[in-house]
């Protein structure tokens, strides 16, 4: 059998293939040759064949039949074989294959080999892909090598130990003695890997952390090493652009961060060196900035004195002005992390941050936008909003939705006047109208309703906007609703804020009817405009045109429109006496300041068929005493006192029917689950239920969202309770309650949550990070989620139980439907 | 720690893949596809950092090759750029004015050099000379020379 072709020749041949098919053919041919060569147990060429297989594997072809051959190569005496064998093992084998366990013995032998390069191969392979079982078996060998004086092996053993600890945390203890004099090494490789090992140990175990702080006095040692690096002259071996061993400097700074966190003594001991690094590091190249970046992160995380913190933020401010966009990006990300804690210091750099909105780089723009929103406050709202609106106009579509939501949130919190607020909303709707999230429509309507003195101004501006452009659905929906509600103000020309326009009732109806027939209007928009037209029947003088429109749509193909039209028709024909009351002005909706269960304020018994956005209304629960309201409704306009919604007398499922008022008005009969006890039976039941349900927007029954258990495993139980944040109903406030039914406390408890990208999540500080044993107490933490539609969440829990760290990931999908409606 | 390092050409052909956490073949293929798509579609003068899942992706183009390094979220991106730069310099010293073809035809050497620079997603040696010396010595071993002679030279 001729010798198998050489690796380089194979590569050359394969590269001459002109099509994928040709390449596949060559590969298959060669694989066949290799397979038969393997079958013949050819020792001489095994190495060459495996190397070729690895090449073909990189091209994407299967190579699993070479796995055992790698093992044979590893077991060979030749260094060349071992080299390729270990490489093949790292590329083709992983801990999922049973085969890899066969490597354990080979590795053990090679760890004790007489040639350090063979030992090195074994350490490298174990450190890259050793499974937990392998690590358990070989930890002793690694520990031995950690104590050798051969620096080439010692550095590799250190990283191997890191891998062992990552795989089998319980083995951490056994490496402790070997770490005693690691930092007195001169060799930078050993120093670097030792710092990595110490970092890993300190991060994983608080006991280790305090041991290293107090007993080993790690901080002074690290400070000394760092100082030498900075002060020592040029060292050719470790120099990078004039800085001595930046990799080691960065690692030391990181370890100092961990040691100094929440510890006054350690933080004080490192104050000077941090200031020294911060002021003396050369910033002309990326290396220097990398060190400064790490220094800033350390300063912000430890208990540094305020002067140092200001120094750190100023460094970030200087980064923002750097020509290098990587540096600017990193600065924005870091400032975003510190804006909560050092708000005033970050505010000083506001104008630079706002300038970054105009940056060409997409990632930078996004960070600048997030940071800008975080910096908005009552003082700078006008100026900031100008910049943000300008940004909204000119930014890429991928930003517009988030930016619009951010603008609404900021405007709601800090609007200096109602007029400004409405103008801002108008600006967003007209410039980015199609990117605005659907759920902002009801929010805006609520806002407009509550700004009583601005009604005329608002409806006029919206009307003018409609004349220009009817393509942006959220704008059209809000405008239709307003015209339906305040059309009388529009035609009577009552606007005080600006020059009132002259418009006739017919012109208004032209516009609304235009929306109905336009191809640009979505079905939802059509629903809005039909309802608006109907409402105008009580506000305008002439109803005949409206009657005609309504009857035409009684035979519309769109079922929703048809249903509405038929019912409105019924309203004209049989129930004309109810019409004025039904279509009266919407009452003002009070927004409560707290996040507690919301209260409805009903100024009178007036109701309105809330068909406008049925999908946004949570299931309604009916207080028992609303039967009386019904009688008032048909009579006078008495003010009804504030009613708590926490007394449901109807099952929640009835809420659906209560919502769908028109469903209730259907002539076939009333809702199935209406208890008749609170209702005088002489009234037609459907009308009763519909009217008394009074489902005003989304201020209802926040307390009716039931709590849920999100996680319950190994004694740790996490419950979620919900509130809807007022004034912004777009924000769901979830409180987690973590309880522990095991016998020991769970310490270092950290709860992390992630949500899909369409939401925004804010996690506030937890009440504590110890979950007491035997359910003696709970840890609570508040999560705020923006735009919670169909909420899903991934949670990560880490805690230490009886000395060992535990980590778990879970997905939470069982959010009750009410939490996101 | 670093999670993976990928080298690929402008056409998306993979030239080197180093994974520091266990993954199935399918996962590796998917991630490679995602990376090549994401990186190759970036504008020419964008910043070198991306976010992907819970990782930071640092990428840099050297001639016709893209180097794509994934790090944990709390790692320092700027020093990661230096890691890539250091690896390129090591390759350059070894091959002498390294180009993509060198890495294609000597991919196993590229891996050997990487394995003297990084282990388990962390840097093992910060001195360029040390790494180069180890590789040269290993190469000599491969040629069957007496091993003791070189061990004495490189000790300490």
């Amino acid at each position: 059998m001729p010798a198998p072709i050489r690796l380089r020749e194979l590569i050359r041949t394969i590269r001459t293939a002109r099509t994928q098919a040709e390449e596949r053919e060559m590969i298959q041919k060669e694989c066949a040759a290799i397979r038969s060569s393997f079958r013949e147990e050819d020792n001489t060429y095994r190495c060459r064949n495996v190397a070729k297989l690895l090449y073909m594997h990189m091209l994407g072809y299967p190579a699993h039949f070479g796995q055992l051959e790698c093992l044979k190569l590893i077991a060979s005496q030749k260094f060349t074989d071992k080299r390729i064998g270990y490489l093949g093992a790292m590329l083709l084998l992983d801990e999922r294959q049973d085969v890899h366990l066969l490597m354990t013995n080979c590795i053990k032998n090679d760890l004790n080999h007489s040639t350090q390069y063979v030992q090195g191969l074994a350490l490298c392979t174990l450190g890259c892909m050793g499974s937990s079982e392998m690590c358990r078996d070989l930890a002793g060998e690694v520990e031995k090598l950690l104590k050798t004086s051969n620096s080439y092996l010692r550095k590799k053993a250190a990283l191997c130990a890191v891998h062992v600890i990552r795989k089998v945390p319980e083995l951490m203890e056994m490496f402790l003695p070997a770490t005693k004099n690691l930092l007195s090494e001169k060799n930078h490789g050993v120093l670097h890997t030792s710092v990595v090992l110490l970092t890993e140990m300190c991060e994983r175990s608080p006991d280790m952390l305090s041991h290293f702080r107090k007993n080993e006095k790690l901080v002074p040692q690290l400070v000394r090493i760092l100082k030498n690096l900075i002060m020592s002259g040029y060292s050719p071996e470790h120099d990078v652009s004039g800085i001595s061993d930046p990799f080691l400097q960065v690692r030391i700074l990181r370890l100092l961060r961990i040691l100094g966190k929440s510890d006054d003594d350690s933080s004080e001991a490192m104050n000077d060196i941090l200031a020294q690094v911060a002021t003396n590091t050369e910033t002309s190249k990326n290396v220097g900035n990398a060190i400064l970046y790490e220094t800033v992160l350390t300063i912000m995380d430890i208990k540094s004195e305020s002067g140092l913190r200001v120094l750190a933020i100023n460094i970030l401010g200087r980064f923002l002005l750097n020509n290098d966009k990587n540096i600017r990006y990193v600065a924005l990300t870091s400032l975003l992390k510190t804006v909560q804690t050092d708000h005033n210091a970050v505010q000083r750099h506001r104008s630079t941050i706002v300038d970054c909105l105009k940056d060409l780089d997409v990632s930078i723009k996004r960070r600048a936008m997030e940071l800008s929103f975080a910096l908005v406050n009552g003082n700078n709202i006008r100026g900031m909003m100008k910049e943000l609106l300008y940004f909204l106009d000119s930014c890429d579509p991928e930003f517009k939705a988030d930016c619009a939501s951010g603008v609404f949130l900021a405007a709601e919190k800090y609007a200096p006047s109602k007029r400004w607020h409405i103008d801002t909303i108008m600006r967003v709707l007209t410039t980015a109208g199609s990117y605005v999230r659907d759920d902002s429509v009801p929010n805006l309507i609520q806002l407009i309703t509550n700004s009583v003195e601005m009604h005329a101004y608002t409806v006029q501006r919206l009307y003018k906007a409609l004349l220009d452009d009817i393509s942006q659905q959220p704008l059209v929906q809000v405008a239709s609703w307003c015209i339906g509600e305040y059309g009388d103000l529009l035609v009577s020309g009552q606007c005080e804020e600006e020059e009132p326009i002259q418009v006739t009732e017919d012109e208004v109806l032209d516009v609304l009817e235009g929306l109905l027939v336009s191809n640009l209007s979505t079905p939802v928009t059509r629903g809005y405009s039909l309802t608006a037209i109907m409402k105008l029947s009580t506000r305008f003088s002439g109803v005949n045109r409206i009657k005609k429109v309504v009857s035409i749509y009684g035979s519309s193909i769109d079922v929703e429109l048809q249903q509405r039209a038929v019912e409105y028709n019924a309203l004209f024909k049989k129930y004309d006496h109810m019409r004025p009351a039904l279509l009266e002005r919407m009452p003002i909706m009070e927004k409560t300041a707290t996040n507690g269960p919301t209260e409805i304020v009903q100024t009178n018994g007036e109701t309105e068929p809330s068909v406008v956005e049925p999908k946004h209304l949570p299931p309604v629960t009916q207080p028992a005493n609303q039967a009386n309201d019904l009688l008032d409704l048909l009579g006078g306009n008495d003010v009804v006192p504030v009613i708590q919604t926490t007394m449901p007398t109807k099952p929640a499922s009835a809420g659906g029917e209560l919502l769908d008022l028109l469903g209730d008005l259907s002539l076939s009969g009333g809702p199935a689950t209406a208890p008749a006890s609170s209702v005088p039976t002489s009234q037609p039941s459907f009308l009763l239920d519909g009217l008394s349900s009074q489902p005003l927007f989304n201020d209802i029954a926040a307390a009716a969202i039931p709590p849920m258990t999100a996680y319950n495993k190994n004694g740790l139980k996490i419950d979620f309770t919900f509130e809807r944040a007022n004034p912004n109903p777009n924000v769901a406030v979830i409180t987690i309650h973590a309880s522990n039914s095991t016998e020991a406390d769970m310490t270092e408890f950290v709860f992390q949550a992630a949500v899909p990208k369409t939401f925004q999540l804010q996690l506030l500080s937890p009440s504590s990070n110890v979950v007491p044993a035997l359910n003696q107490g709970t840890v609570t933490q508040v999560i705020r989620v923006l735009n919670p539609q169909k909420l899903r969440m991934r949670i990560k829990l880490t805690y230490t139980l009886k000395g060992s760290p535990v980590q778990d990931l879970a997905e939470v999908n069982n959010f009750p439907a009410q939490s996101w409606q | 720690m670093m999670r993976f390092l990928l080298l690929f050409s402008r056409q998306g052909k993979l030239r080197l893949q180093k994974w520091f956490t266990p993954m199935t073949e399918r996962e590796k293929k998917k991630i490679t596809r995602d990376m090549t798509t994401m990186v190759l579609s970036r504008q020419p003068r964008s910043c070198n950092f991306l976010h992907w899942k819970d990782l930071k992706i640092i990428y840099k183009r050297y001639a016709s090759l893209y180097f794509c390094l994934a790090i944990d979220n709390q790692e320092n991106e700027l020093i990661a750029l230096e890691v890539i730069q250091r690896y390129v310099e090591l390759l350059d010293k070894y091959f002498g004015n390294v180009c993509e073809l060198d890495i294609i035809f000597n991919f196993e050497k590229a891996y050997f050099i990487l394995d003297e620079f990084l282990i388990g997603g962390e840097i093992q040696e910060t001195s360029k000379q040390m790494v180069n010396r180890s590789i040269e010595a290993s190469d000599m071993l491969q040629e069957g020379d007496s091993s003791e002679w070189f061990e004495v030279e490189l000790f300490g």
Side-chain angles (χ1 to χ4, degrees):
Chain A
M1 166 134 195
I5 67 170
R6 294 177 176 277
L7 170 64
R8 320 255 179 260
E9 212 182 300
L10 176 69
I11 298 178
R12 220 184 321 267
T13 315
I14 292 180
R15 281 170 63 78
T16 61
R18 274 161 301 164
T19 63
Q20 186 76 354
E22 212 180 315
E23 180 184 279
R24 210 175 311 135
E25 208 182 299
M26 291 179 187
I27 302 259
Q28 272 170 358
K29 203 168 121 205
E30 185 57 36
C31 278
I34 294 179
R35 277 184 137 114
S36 43
S37 184
F38 284 162
R39 268 198 298 272
E40 288 169 20
E41 297 284 340
D42 185 326
N43 288 339
T44 330
Y45 295 113
R46 183 176 288 124
C47 177
R48 185 186 290 185
N49 285 328
V50 168
K52 287 187 286 185
L53 203 54
L54 293 179
Y55 178 73
M56 296 189 284
H57 174 252
M58 181 137 67
L59 292 178
Y61 296 93
H64 44 273
F65 56 92
Q67 285 168 2
L68 268 173
E69 302 300 315
C70 292
L71 293 181
K72 293 180 195 164
L73 283 175
I74 292 174
S76 155
Q77 290 307 315
K78 285 167 59 184
F79 184 68
T80 315
D81 284 355
K82 282 189 191 286
R83 240 184 165 186
I84 296 289
Y86 276 116
L87 178 61
M90 285 195 271
L91 287 175
L92 299 181
L93 288 172
D94 64 48
E95 48 189 56
R96 282 157 228 274
Q97 266 84 299
D98 295 324
V99 170
H100 87 281
L101 280 172
L102 297 173
M103 269 201 296
T104 314
N105 219 27
C106 282
I107 294 186
K108 187 169 189 166
N109 291 336
D110 282 343
L111 283 175
N112 292 307
H113 202 274
S114 52
T115 310
Q116 67 175 14
Y117 298 104
V118 174
Q119 290 173 292
L121 286 177
L123 280 169
C124 177
T125 308
L126 182 59
C128 278
M129 43 106 43
S131 64
S132 323
E133 297 95 335
M134 279 169 72
C135 287
R136 258 185 244 273
D137 287 339
L138 300 170
E141 306 293 328
V142 176
E143 198 260 344
K144 232 169 44 190
L145 287 170
L146 193 51
K147 298 194 281 216
T148 176
S149 53
N150 179 337
S151 49
Y152 177 77
L153 291 177
R154 210 171 181 199
K155 70 190 185 196
K156 292 184 194 265
L159 289 185
C160 207
V162 170
H163 179 81
V164 168
I165 292 174
R166 283 180 181 153
K167 282 295 195 190
V168 192
E170 302 92 71
L171 293 175
M172 197 185 329
E173 291 283 334
M174 73 182 282
F175 293 108
L176 188 54
T179 63
K180 263 219 168 336
N181 52 4
L182 275 177
L183 290 186
S184 42
E185 266 271 4
K186 288 275 183 295
N187 180 294
H188 280 224
V190 177
L191 272 178
H192 187 277
T193 56
S194 304
V195 173
V196 174
L197 176 57
L198 291 167
T199 308
E200 188 69 30
M201 290 169 116
C202 289
E203 273 179 335
R204 280 193 182 261
S205 156
D207 290 333
M208 284 285 184
L209 179 57
S210 52
H211 166 78
F212 281 119
R213 262 188 198 139
K214 302 192 174 59
N215 306 348
E216 300 291 339
K217 306 239 182 289
L218 208 47
V219 176
Q221 287 186 64
L222 292 169
V223 169
R224 181 181 46 83
I225 298 173
L226 192 50
K227 203 168 194 142
N228 281 339
L229 282 174
I230 304 172
M231 306 298 264
S232 68
Y234 176 74
S235 152
E237 212 176 326
H238 301 110
D239 181 271
V240 180
S241 303
I243 297 184
S244 191
D245 208 339
F247 302 109
L248 182 56
Q249 289 195 33
V250 165
R251 261 351 268 240
I252 291 179
L253 286 164
R254 195 157 135 198
L255 181 53
L256 284 174
R257 180 152 82 240
I258 296 169
L259 290 168
K261 194 168 182 159
S262 320
D263 189 88
D264 289 317
D265 292 331
S266 302
S267 300
E268 207 190 308
M270 57 181 81
N271 234 349
D272 286 345
I273 192 69
L274 289 174
Q276 205 177 352
V277 175
T279 40
N280 288 344
T281 307
E282 180 67 48
T283 57
S284 54
K285 292 268 178 75
N286 181 59
V287 226
N289 288 320
I291 295 177
L292 276 181
Y293 177 39
E294 195 73 35
T295 313
V296 165
L297 291 178
T298 300
I299 293 174
M300 300 313 289
D301 238 14
I302 65 172
K303 297 198 154 220
S304 45
E305 43 180 55
S306 61
L308 206 51
R309 287 182 91 85
V310 171
L311 179 59
I313 303 239
N314 287 345
I315 291 178
L316 291 178
R318 274 208 312 278
F319 274 5
L320 281 179
L321 301 167
N322 197 305
N323 283 332
D324 186 339
K325 55 187 101 43
N326 293 331
I327 310 279
R328 293 204 298 276
Y329 177 85
V330 148
L332 287 170
T333 318
S334 313
L335 285 170
L336 199 53
K337 281 193 253 188
T338 62
V339 73
Q340 303 296 341
T341 44
D342 295 83
H343 192 91
N344 292 332
V346 180
Q347 278 283 1
R348 269 182 237 131
H349 300 277
R350 198 180 65 242
S351 51
T352 325
I353 293 169
V354 166
D355 279 340
C356 288
L357 285 172
K358 307 193 183 85
D359 202 296
L360 294 166
D361 186 288
V362 160
S363 320
I364 291 181
K365 274 205 274 225
R366 178 164 284 281
R367 288 278 177 271
M369 180 182 82
E370 287 168 8
L371 196 48
S372 298
F373 280 123
L375 288 175
V376 170
N377 62 26
N379 294 329
N380 58 34
I381 177 76
R382 283 188 193 265
M384 287 295 275
M385 197 50 86
K386 215 158 76 187
E387 296 285 348
L388 289 166
L389 286 173
Y390 180 73
F391 176 68
L392 183 62
D393 282 342
S394 51
C395 69
D396 298 328
E398 58 185 290
F399 290 119
K400 292 212 190 222
D402 291 329
C403 189
S405 302
V407 166
F408 286 148
L409 258 171
E412 219 173 294
K413 281 209 279 214
Y414 301 111
S417 73
K418 285 228 151 97
R419 159 104 190 239
W420 181 95
H421 196 170
I422 289 184
D423 281 342
T424 307
I425 292 173
M426 288 291 309
R427 174 86 184 269
V428 174
L429 285 180
T430 47
T431 54
S434 25
Y435 299 98
V436 159
R437 295 212 169 91
D438 288 340
D439 56 356
S440 37
V441 171
N443 289 341
L444 297 176
I445 292 180
Q446 180 173 20
L447 171 70
I448 292 171
T449 311
N450 289 353
S451 319
V452 177
E453 64 278 12
M454 306 294 305
H455 284 168
Y457 171 70
T458 312
V459 69
Q460 180 165 298
R461 284 212 58 189
L462 285 169
Y463 179 75
K464 285 201 276 192
L466 267 192
L467 292 177
D468 278 332
D469 173 21
I470 59 169
S471 63
Q472 307 198 76
Q473 299 306 293
L475 173 65
V476 174
Q477 287 167 11
V478 173
S480 315
W481 190 92
C482 279
I483 295 174
E485 195 61 16
Y486 310 119
D488 48 326
L489 298 176
L490 186 61
V491 295
S492 64
Q494 280 180 20
C495 183
E496 286 169 5
E497 301 279 340
E498 63 174 24
E499 187 68 33
I501 57 175
Q502 309 295 333
V503 72
T504 66
E505 295 182 357
D506 274 325
E507 284 169 339
V508 173
L509 288 172
D510 281 341
V511 169
L512 287 176
E513 282 184 48
L515 293 175
L516 272 175
V517 300
S518 165
N519 285 331
L520 296 167
S521 300
T522 62
V524 170
T525 307
R526 291 206 177 93
Y528 271 88
S529 56
L530 186 61
T531 305
I533 293 176
M534 186 59 190
K535 283 202 257 183
L536 289 174
S537 71
T538 53
R539 292 156 174 75
F540 282 0
S541 46
V543 293
N544 291 324
R545 182 171 171 182
I546 297 177
K547 275 192 192 169
K548 228 186 346 199
V549 171
V550 161
S551 64
I552 290 174
Y553 279 88
S555 44
S556 159
I557 296 180
D558 182 332
V559 176
E560 172 72 29
L561 277 183
Q562 190 191 107
Q563 185 169 7
R564 291 183 190 213
V566 163
E567 283 147 3
Y568 292 152
N569 236 350
L571 211 54
F572 273 125
K573 297 214 167 70
K574 282 211 233 168
Y575 299 97
D576 206 43
H577 55 286
M578 306 234 74
R579 193 164 47 87
L582 272 176
L583 304 178
E584 268 276 1
R585 273 269 201 283
M586 282 294 282
I588 297 175
M589 288 158 274
E590 272 289 333
K591 295 182 190 175
T592 53
T594 63
N595 285 340
T598 50
E599 302 156 300
I600 305 175
V601 173
Q602 295 170 268
T603 53
N604 50 32
E606 290 166 349
T607 60
E608 140 110 21
S610 60
V611 296
V612 183
E613 48 271 346
K615 64 183 187 317
H616 293 291
L617 298 169
V620 170
T621 55
Q622 187 193 27
N625 53 2
Q626 282 204 321
N628 303 328
D629 302 341
L630 179 69
L631 302 175
D632 288 337
L633 183 112
L634 297 180
N637 282 342
D638 301 334
V639 175
V640 169
V642 169
I643 293 173
Q644 286 282 356
T645 54
T646 50
M647 300 177 287
T649 53
K650 274 193 162 189
S653 58
E657 281 127 288
L658 294 174
L659 284 181
D660 190 0
L661 178 68
L662 294 187
D664 299 339
L665 283 178
S666 75
L667 304 173
S668 54
T673 57
S677 53
S678 57
V679 163
T681 48
S682 56
Q683 303 280 352
S685 58
F686 57 89
L687 205 58
L688 199 104
D689 301 328
L691 291 177
S692 56
S693 68
Q694 186 60 289
L696 304 171
F697 284 104
N698 37 21
D699 48 5
I700 290 178
I705 304 176
M708 60 177 263
T709 299
Y711 178 90
N712 192 350
K713 210 164 131 184
N714 296 333
L716 176 64
K717 180 151 143 346
I718 302 205
D719 290 321
F720 284 1
T721 55
F722 301 88
E723 292 145 359
R724 196 160 280 282
N726 268 313
N728 185 0
N730 250 355
V731 176
V733 178
I734 306 174
T735 307
I736 71 147
H737 305 264
S739 58
N740 167 12
S741 61
T742 68
E743 299 168 339
D745 288 349
M746 291 174 177
T747 56
E748 322 286 316
F749 175 74
V750 174
F751 173 88
Q752 288 165 292
V755 290
K757 275 205 173 119
T758 48
F759 312 133
Q760 285 176 47
L761 185 73
Q762 188 189 10
L763 204 56
L764 306 181
S765 309
S767 58
S768 115
N769 56 5
V770 176
V771 193
L774 299 171
N775 293 324
Q776 280 166 28
T778 58
V779 167
T780 56
Q781 189 166 5
V782 175
I783 309 173
R784 296 164 64 92
V785 183
L786 176 67
N787 186 32
Q789 307 229 8
K790 274 202 180 13
L791 186 57
R792 294 186 344 250
M793 192 184 275
R794 271 213 191 119
I795 59 177
K796 179 171 170 188
L797 308 152
T798 46
Y799 55 92
T800 304
L801 183 62
K802 297 183 191 162
S804 14
V806 180
Q807 184 176 301
D808 200 8
L809 288 164
E811 193 152 329
V812 185
N813 286 326
N814 53 331
F815 284 93
Q818 298 101 302
S819 70
W820 45 266
Q821 270 176 332
Chain B
M1 64 181 271
M2 295 169 239
R3 294 295 179 134
F4 56 82
L5 172 66
L6 302 173
L7 268 66
F8 47 85
S9 69
R10 276 196 285 217
Q11 290 76 37
K13 282 195 104 92
L14 196 61
R15 299 299 179 204
L16 187 141
Q17 51 175 331
K18 186 77 183 175
W19 304 89
F20 296 111
T21 44
M23 304 255 190
T24 62
E25 279 298 329
R26 215 158 130 223
E27 285 171 328
K28 289 184 198 175
K29 286 213 164 88
K30 170 142 202 316
I31 293 176
T32 309
R33 257 200 322 270
D34 285 349
M35 290 297 119
T36 46
T37 326
M38 265 194 340
V39 169
L40 291 173
S41 61
R42 288 280 277 184
Q43 299 286 1
R45 266 181 287 278
S46 327
C47 79
N48 300 79
F49 310 137
L50 284 171
H51 266 280
W52 182 80
K53 301 214 179 153
D54 61 339
L55 299 175
K56 292 184 187 168
I57 309 293
I58 322 298
Y59 73 93
K60 191 145 184 215
R61 186 170 78 81
Y62 288 84
S64 58
L65 266 185
Y66 282 92
F67 287 68
C68 178
L69 179 63
I71 58 178
D72 281 336
N73 241 340
Q74 63 267 40
E75 297 279 338
N76 183 329
E77 301 97 311
L78 298 179
I79 208 75
L81 269 176
E82 294 299 319
V83 169
I84 296 179
Q85 174 70 18
R86 173 57 64 92
Y87 182 46
V88 172
E89 284 173 7
L90 289 169
L91 290 170
D92 192 62
K93 185 78 200 297
Y94 182 79
F95 289 110
N97 281 334
V98 67
C99 64
E100 191 184 345
L101 275 178
D102 290 319
I103 302 192
I104 294 172
F105 280 93
N106 301 285
F107 69 94
E108 83 277 15
K109 297 272 177 25
Y111 276 108
F112 296 151
I113 295 173
L114 188 61
D115 287 338
E116 287 294 330
F117 177 43
L118 307 173
I119 286 183
E122 304 282 356
I123 300 174
Q124 67 175 284
E125 180 55 68
T126 55
S127 154
K128 272 194 279 194
Q129 289 90 323
M130 286 303 300
V131 175
N132 282 323
R133 274 185 245 161
S134 311
I135 290 292
E136 281 164 20
S138 304
D139 284 350
M140 291 289 197
L141 256 187
Q142 236 185 269
E143 295 183 15
D145 277 309
S146 150
S147 57
E148 286 98 286
W149 192 79
F150 282 95
E151 274 199 45
V152 167
E153 194 211 312
L154 287 156
F155 242 115

